[in-house]
Amino acid sequence: MADTAVPVMWAGELSATLDFYKVLGYEVTYEQNRPYSYGAIRRPGYDLHFFAPPKGDRGPIENVGCLVMVGEVEELHAGFSAALRAKYGRVPARGIPRITRMRPGQTRFTVYDPAGNGITYIRHDEPEMEYGGSTKLTGLAKVIDNARILRFSKQDDPAARRALEAGLRRHGGTATALERAHALADLVEIAVAEEDSARAAELRGKIAELELSAEERTTIAEHLRIATDLAEWLDTD
């Protein structure tokens, strides 16, 4: 039998934590509450365990979580989203618990359970990420690539927003109109994720003012469709 590692994370309120994972299709394989809380869950190929010491002992550790390497992420994310929508009435995309969003080409997402653990599901063949943006790119194109990594590897929308806004200020004069449109479209997506419809509309207006060819308009319309799909996922239109 091959060696196996089993992550053990903070249990929080154990029953609530286990119930959350049951919604996602996990099987609960073990549960005890005395003399301390301990639970175990399983999906095909791996197990996750949860532990809470007796009262008075050390409490939870911040930013606990683990990585789960999977064959695909888009169908898994869609299934989790549908299950969470059925339970909560909408996809929980902010606060605890929550699930991070997916977009075309994305290779990972994270689910935060009621105890605050973050389980990141990563596709086996995820390409290596160049933090700071690809070295093959320059100017605003490199900023856009770095913002992509900030959003989908670190799940840090505020940092991505700051990077894009600074990039537009620094490189806007030398960037092509299409590059500026892509940066603005990324900012539209972030505004939708932050449920700031007024900001999203303002940014769409800036894109409309750019001098783009018909082909470029079609390209940006495809990019903006990501924000529309995100609004539908969030139920925030």
Side-chain angles (χ1 to χ4, degrees):
M1 179 179 292
D3 294 347
T4 302
V6 178
V8 180
M9 292 166 288
W10 173 243
E13 180 63 37
L14 181 61
S15 61
T17 299
L18 297 181
D19 285 345
F20 177 82
Y21 284 101
K22 284 193 286 187
V23 169
L24 299 181
Y26 282 83
E27 173 193 2
V28 175
T29 57
Y30 186 78
E31 181 176 3
Q32 75 169 42
N33 292 289
R34 294 181 181 179
Y36 52 84
S37 294
Y38 198 98
I41 58 175
R42 175 179 297 159
R43 278 180 67 90
Y46 65 95
D47 296 84
L48 303 175
H49 288 201
F50 302 90
F51 166 76
K55 291 182 179 180
D57 288 2
R58 186 178 63 158
I61 302 172
E62 294 296 326
N63 301 317
V64 172
C66 72
L67 309 179
V68 177
M69 312 306 293
V70 296
E72 60 79 31
V73 290
E74 291 186 10
E75 289 184 9
L76 187 64
H77 184 271
F80 283 1
S81 296
L84 292 171
R85 188 188 300 278
K87 178 176 176 61
Y88 295 106
R90 62 174 295 177
V91 177
R94 305 181 77 175
I96 298 293
R98 72 180 184 273
I99 182 172
T100 61
R101 65 191 187 274
M102 283 284 294
R103 67 175 303 182
Q106 193 172 327
T107 54
R108 62 172 65 190
F109 70 93
T110 301
V111 173
Y112 293 90
D113 67 24
N117 301 300
I119 313 300
T120 300
Y121 300 85
I122 304 175
R123 202 176 70 199
H124 284 298
D125 61 349
E126 179 181 78
E128 184 177 351
M129 296 185 183
E130 296 184 64
Y131 290 95
S134 172
T135 54
K136 297 178 182 179
L137 301 173
T138 59
L140 188 56
K142 186 172 184 177
V143 171
I144 292 170
D145 190 56
N146 181 46
R148 173 185 63 84
I149 294 170
L150 289 170
R151 284 183 293 160
F152 303 124
S153 176
K154 297 185 68 178
Q155 288 114 38
D156 193 341
D157 279 347
R161 175 170 23 82
R162 291 191 296 270
L164 288 164
E165 290 172 346
L168 283 165
R169 289 193 298 270
R170 181 178 179 184
H171 303 291
T174 56
T176 66
L178 183 60
E179 287 174 336
R180 294 198 301 275
H182 278 302
L184 290 167
D186 281 342
L187 287 170
V188 170
E189 183 185 348
I190 293 171
V192 170
E194 294 175 339
E195 302 186 33
D196 189 344
S197 57
R199 176 63 173 158
E202 176 189 353
L203 292 163
R204 287 179 183 273
K206 290 183 177 181
I207 293 173
E209 294 171 358
L210 294 173
E211 294 185 5
L212 299 170
S213 68
E215 182 179 354
E216 289 172 337
R217 290 277 176 205
T218 299
T219 298
I220 292 304
E222 289 295 322
H223 190 157
L224 287 171
R225 187 168 291 116
I226 294 171
T228 301
D229 291 343
L230 174 60
E232 293 175 355
W233 182 71
L234 292 169
D235 283 340
T236 59
D237 350 43

